[in-house]
Amino acid sequence: MRKHIFLVLIFSFLLVNGALAKSSDLFIDYLTDEVYSDCVGKDLNIKEPFIQNTLTNKSVTLVPWPYDKSTLRRIIELLGNYEPWDFFQGTCENRGVSIGGSKNGCSVLSCGDNKLDINQFTYFWNDERVDIPREEFTTVYGDNIETHGDESPVTTGDNSPINQNKENIWIQLFWSKGTIAGAILGFLLKILYDILKKKYFSKKKRRKKS
């Protein structure tokens, strides 16, 4: 039973990630800045055979310093074309279950002791997940002041829109039948119900025979 549940969860994970779009320009720009700041003065090492020289049809595995930021950005953009990369549990240093085998994103790009790992659609620079930081902004609703950002939401006033609406948007997302997550959740619950039902009635049937 545990094996069936585990396979269902893996399958749903792939479905959710498969619905995601490729890396945005904003994400590529942010990752380029992160990598470039750590790689200044260092050669770039690229895992074979993902970047090709169109003139020689050979894999590019080394980009010596100096190189400009636009060159690095183009490399990161090309790596994004391979999404989704192979899926694996855990980290590149301590991997569990893996799916794929042809597009291993571990240390796909490196310079010195710095490295870029990609797990399906998720990027890790020096073992830290790469996420675009949210910009903080303020919204005013009459006498209410609402602040959004990494420390948000912080809301003041008795008539705050957040205080008026207690329902969590994530609950709406995951329980709505009209969303991908809602469909997957319903699919998982149906399979678990069938497994439990089959197991329960088989036990009940054996008891009646005995």
Side-chain angles (χ1 to χ4, degrees):
M1 179 179 174
R2 291 182 179 178
K3 183 178 180 181
H4 290 297
I5 295 175
F6 177 76
L7 291 176
V8 169
L9 292 176
I10 290 295
F11 180 67
S12 65
F13 178 83
L14 295 176
L15 284 177
V16 171
N17 282 281
L20 299 177
K22 287 188 176 181
S23 300
S24 66
D25 289 337
L26 184 62
F27 177 85
I28 294 173
D29 290 339
Y30 177 77
L31 179 56
T32 299
D33 290 339
E34 288 285 300
V35 174
Y36 190 81
S37 64
D38 290 334
C39 291
V40 170
K42 303 180 181 71
D43 297 341
L44 287 176
N45 298 288
I46 307 170
K47 196 170 187 177
E48 192 176 6
F50 300 109
I51 304 298
Q52 299 285 327
N53 186 326
T54 56
L55 297 178
T56 63
N57 289 325
K58 294 183 179 180
S59 298
V60 178
T61 58
L62 178 66
V63 179
W65 178 264
Y67 46 83
D68 55 25
K69 191 179 291 187
S70 62
T71 299
L72 175 60
R73 187 190 189 283
R74 180 55 179 161
I75 292 172
I76 293 175
E77 185 179 22
L78 290 173
L79 292 176
N81 291 335
Y82 287 95
E83 296 176 2
W85 291 77
D86 294 347
F87 163 75
F88 58 86
Q89 282 187 318
T91 64
C92 285
E93 289 71 23
N94 185 23
R95 283 190 291 176
V97 175
S98 61
I99 299 176
S102 60
K103 293 184 291 185
N104 185 345
C106 291
S107 298
V108 68
L109 179 67
S110 62
C111 67
D113 296 330
N114 306 289
K115 66 185 180 69
L116 177 68
D117 301 325
I118 309 177
N119 187 348
Q120 281 218 314
F121 299 91
T122 307
Y123 290 65
F124 297 88
W125 179 243
N126 292 331
D127 299 324
E128 294 290 333
R129 178 170 176 164
V130 180
D131 288 312
I132 302 175
R134 291 172 293 175
E135 294 184 1
E136 186 173 291
F137 62 94
T138 300
T139 306
V140 178
Y141 295 92
D143 295 333
N144 302 309
I145 301 175
E146 188 173 312
T147 304
H148 305 266
D150 289 334
E151 302 297 328
S152 68
V154 178
T155 307
T156 60
D158 295 333
N159 297 321
S160 163
I162 291 181
N163 290 334
Q164 291 176 355
N165 183 9
K166 299 291 184 181
E167 191 170 14
N168 193 317
I169 189 172
W170 292 108
I171 295 177
Q172 294 178 7
L173 172 64
F174 280 95
W175 285 99
S176 172
K177 293 182 179 179
T179 64
I180 295 175
I184 293 174
L185 182 59
F187 175 74
L188 290 174
L189 292 175
K190 177 64 168 58
I191 290 180
L192 291 175
Y193 172 79
D194 291 341
I195 293 173
L196 293 173
K197 181 180 178 182
K198 185 177 180 180
K199 186 176 181 181
Y200 173 78
F201 280 109
S202 62
K203 286 184 177 180
K204 189 174 181 180
K205 191 174 182 180
R206 285 196 298 267
R207 289 175 181 173
K208 286 183 178 180
K209 288 183 178 180
S210 63

